[in-house]
């Protein structure tokens, strides 16, 4: 039989255990509620929940779940192209192009979410409707949305002077892709069409940019066929505002793997080879190595996450809005800024000597 002291001790022990279990369960339920509802839990010194406090908008904005601002967006509105570059990672798997009014609606949503710069690309953006579709989007972004910067990346082959006459005032930057200053090398890469001179067109577009006050830029993809080339003299003579240099990139399903329309493996170079190319051209002040930290928007207004070596699309911003869709873009805004993604991108600020 138990003595009275033993019974008393047992009762005290049970009371202590129940009290702590109650506190533990109360705290646990409080934290679960906090995670689900977005509230903050305040505790007393003994660990009990005293009250629940909902986070203010300012507190949420200061937390680690800050919203991503799509300040610079690359809009690939078409996959169609008249060139067949062997390393291309946005190939012509569909001819779909969003109706222009839907494209404008998406661009307005992006502007409202903080977009300052839009870059139109493809495919070849001048191919669809002979450049008029592109021109109207350029005009809309500069005139209606009043974006600080509107730019285009093109292979240059389909650009006409009449396009500059009609839309040049609304364009800040035109980038022409050129991977080599050897015509034969460009043809091996696939950057060419028939007997037309890619380099001749490059110089012609450069002259038009000067005549119509559009900042001129060059993009180059460094690969096995041009990695040993020295382009210093030619780039210096063309004098672009920026020379964007990319390391050849593999994207599963696009330029490598099953169902891909390209086989880019033979174009791949090592990181050391890419660095050697950069070192060889360190005297070129306008050279900017590509960081791959950018917001990519495909033809159906879906963000693309390329971090895993493939293109994983978000839902369309036309269906779920920018804030929800950009969560799946894989975009690292801080790294984008650290690596110089934001620069003087309005021709009004560049003060160029035309």
């Amino acid at each position: 039989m138990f003595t009275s002291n033993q019974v008393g001790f047992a009762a005290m022990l049970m009371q202590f255990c129940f009290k702590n279990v109650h506190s533990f369960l109360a705290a646990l339920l409080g934290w679960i509620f906090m995670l689900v509802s977005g509230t903050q839990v305040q505790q007393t010194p003994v660990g009990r929940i005293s009250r629940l406090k909902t986070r203010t908008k300012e507190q949420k904005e200061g937390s680690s779940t800050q919203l991503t601002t799509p300040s610079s967006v690359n809009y690939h509105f078409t996959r169609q192209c008249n060139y067949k570059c062997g390393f291309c990672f946005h190939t012509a798997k569909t001819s779909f192009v969003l109706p222009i009014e839907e494209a404008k609606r998406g661009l307005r949503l992006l502007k409202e979410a903080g977009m300052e710069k839009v870059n139109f690309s493809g495919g070849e953006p001048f191919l669809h409707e002979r450049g008029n579709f592109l021109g109207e989007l350029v005009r809309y972004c500069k005139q209606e949305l009043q974006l600080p910067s509107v730019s285009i990346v093109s292979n240059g082959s389909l650009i006409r002077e009449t396009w500059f006459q009609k839309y040049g005032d609304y364009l800040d930057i035109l980038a022409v892709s050129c991977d080599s200053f050897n015509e034969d090398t460009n043809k091996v890469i696939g950057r060419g069409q028939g007997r037309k001179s890619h380099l001749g067109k490059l110089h012609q577009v450069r002259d038009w940019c000067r005549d119509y006050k559009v900042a001129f830029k060059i993009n180059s993809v460094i690969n096995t066929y041009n990695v040993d080339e020295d382009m210093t003299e030619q780039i210096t003579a063309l004098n672009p505002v920026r020379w964007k240099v990319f390391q050849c990139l593999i994207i599963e399903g696009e330029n490598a793997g099953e169902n891909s329309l390209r086989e880019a493996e033979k174009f791949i170079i090592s990181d050391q080879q890419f660095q050697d190319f950069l070192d060889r051209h360190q005297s070129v002040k306008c050279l900017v190595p590509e960081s791959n930290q950018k917001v990519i928007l495909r033809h159906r207004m879906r963000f693309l996450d390329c971090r895993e070596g493939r293109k994983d699309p978000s839902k369309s911003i036309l269906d779920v809005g920018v804030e929800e869709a950009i969560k799946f873009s894989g975009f690292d805004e801080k790294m984008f800024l650290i690596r110089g993604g934001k620069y003087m991108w309005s021709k009004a600020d560049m003060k160029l000597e035309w």
Side-chain angles (χ1 to χ4, degrees):
M1 293 183 63
F2 295 101
T3 66
S4 60
N5 288 337
Q6 288 174 320
V7 172
F9 176 78
M12 290 176 61
L13 182 62
M14 291 180 66
Q15 184 179 10
F16 175 80
C17 290
F18 280 127
K19 181 178 180 180
N20 280 276
V21 169
H22 178 269
S23 297
F24 171 77
L25 290 175
L28 179 61
L29 289 172
W31 284 110
I32 292 174
F33 180 81
M34 176 193 70
L35 292 173
V36 173
S37 62
T39 58
Q40 290 181 328
V41 179
Q42 293 188 347
Q43 295 183 321
T44 65
V46 295
R48 291 180 181 174
I49 300 171
S50 60
R51 61 191 175 98
L52 296 171
K53 182 180 179 181
T54 303
R55 289 188 295 174
T56 65
K57 179 181 179 182
E58 289 74 21
Q59 287 172 316
K60 289 180 180 179
E61 291 176 347
S63 70
S64 60
T65 57
Q66 264 188 326
L67 297 178
T68 299
T69 302
S71 56
S72 177
V73 176
N74 290 271
Y75 180 23
H76 298 252
F77 66 83
T78 179
R79 282 177 169 265
Q80 298 296 302
C81 187
N82 60 322
Y83 278 11
K84 294 183 179 179
C85 302
F87 46 68
C88 180
F89 61 83
H90 199 252
T91 52
K93 288 191 168 186
T94 176
S95 60
F96 177 83
V97 175
L98 202 65
I100 194 164
E101 292 306 317
E102 286 293 275
K104 288 179 178 180
R105 182 164 72 91
L107 291 166
R108 179 169 290 280
L109 289 173
L110 288 163
K111 165 65 185 304
E112 292 170 353
M115 179 177 71
E116 299 175 20
K117 177 182 184 294
V118 63
N119 178 60
F120 294 104
S121 186
E124 170 50 47
F126 281 89
L127 184 60
H128 187 62
E129 296 183 3
R130 298 184 177 182
N132 290 316
F133 181 92
L134 170 65
E136 289 306 314
L137 290 183
V138 167
R139 188 209 305 268
Y140 176 75
C141 287
K142 180 60 73 171
Q143 194 173 59
E144 300 295 325
L145 299 185
Q146 298 186 341
L147 292 182
S149 181
V150 181
S151 65
I152 298 171
V153 174
S154 166
N155 62 39
S157 64
L158 301 177
I159 301 176
R160 302 289 180 266
E161 186 175 9
T162 53
W163 192 95
F164 280 96
Q165 293 170 349
K166 189 174 182 179
Y167 300 111
D169 287 345
Y170 311 108
L171 184 65
D172 290 278
I173 304 170
L174 175 60
V176 176
S177 300
C178 182
D179 305 315
S180 174
F181 288 93
N182 182 308
E183 205 73 83
D184 291 333
T185 301
N186 282 320
K187 290 179 180 178
V188 170
I189 290 171
R191 203 174 286 287
Q193 188 178 32
R195 296 182 178 180
K196 296 178 181 179
S197 170
H198 183 72
L199 296 177
K201 193 66 180 184
L202 174 73
H203 284 82
Q204 186 179 48
V205 172
R206 169 64 185 90
D207 291 343
W208 285 336
C209 284
R210 182 191 60 233
D211 294 343
Y212 293 94
K213 295 180 172 56
V214 174
F216 177 68
K217 177 181 169 184
I218 296 176
N219 285 0
S220 300
V221 178
I222 309 308
N223 59 83
T224 52
Y225 295 99
N226 64 2
V227 68
D228 295 320
E229 193 171 334
D230 189 339
M231 307 181 190
T232 303
E233 182 179 346
Q234 293 87 348
I235 294 293
T236 302
L238 285 164
N239 192 29
V241 294
R242 280 166 78 86
W243 178 31
K244 200 68 174 287
V245 175
F246 301 76
Q247 184 175 356
C248 186
L249 182 66
I250 289 290
I251 297 293
E252 190 70 22
E254 292 283 354
N255 60 11
E258 190 176 356
N259 299 322
S260 66
L261 298 183
R262 299 286 188 276
E263 296 178 359
E265 289 90 345
K266 65 181 180 181
F267 292 90
I268 295 299
I269 60 173
S270 68
D271 291 344
Q272 186 57 55
Q273 286 178 296
F274 185 62
Q275 186 58 53
D276 290 344
F277 182 90
L278 297 179
D279 292 343
R280 190 182 314 125
H281 294 88
Q282 60 183 335
S283 64
V284 182
K285 303 302 182 184
C286 61
L287 188 154
V288 180
E290 167 61 14
S291 69
N292 287 325
Q293 290 292 341
K294 55 187 177 183
V295 179
I296 300 177
L297 192 71
R298 68 185 302 175
H299 51 285
R300 296 182 187 271
M301 287 280 173
R302 295 176 176 178
F303 292 115
L304 292 180
D305 183 352
C306 300
R307 289 176 297 177
E308 301 299 326
R310 59 180 185 273
K311 288 184 176 181
D312 296 326
S314 71
K315 293 182 179 179
S316 174
I317 66 173
L318 299 175
D319 297 327
V320 300
V322 176
E323 180 180 336
E324 180 63 25
I326 203 170
K327 294 176 183 177
F328 303 95
S329 68
F331 177 61
D332 187 333
E333 186 176 10
K334 291 183 179 178
M335 190 58 66
F336 169 78
L337 295 173
I338 290 172
R339 296 189 179 184
K342 192 168 184 177
Y343 56 96
M344 189 180 291
W345 52 32
S346 172
K347 65 181 180 182
D349 297 329
M350 292 179 188
K351 299 180 181 179
L352 297 174
E353 294 183 3
W354 305 105

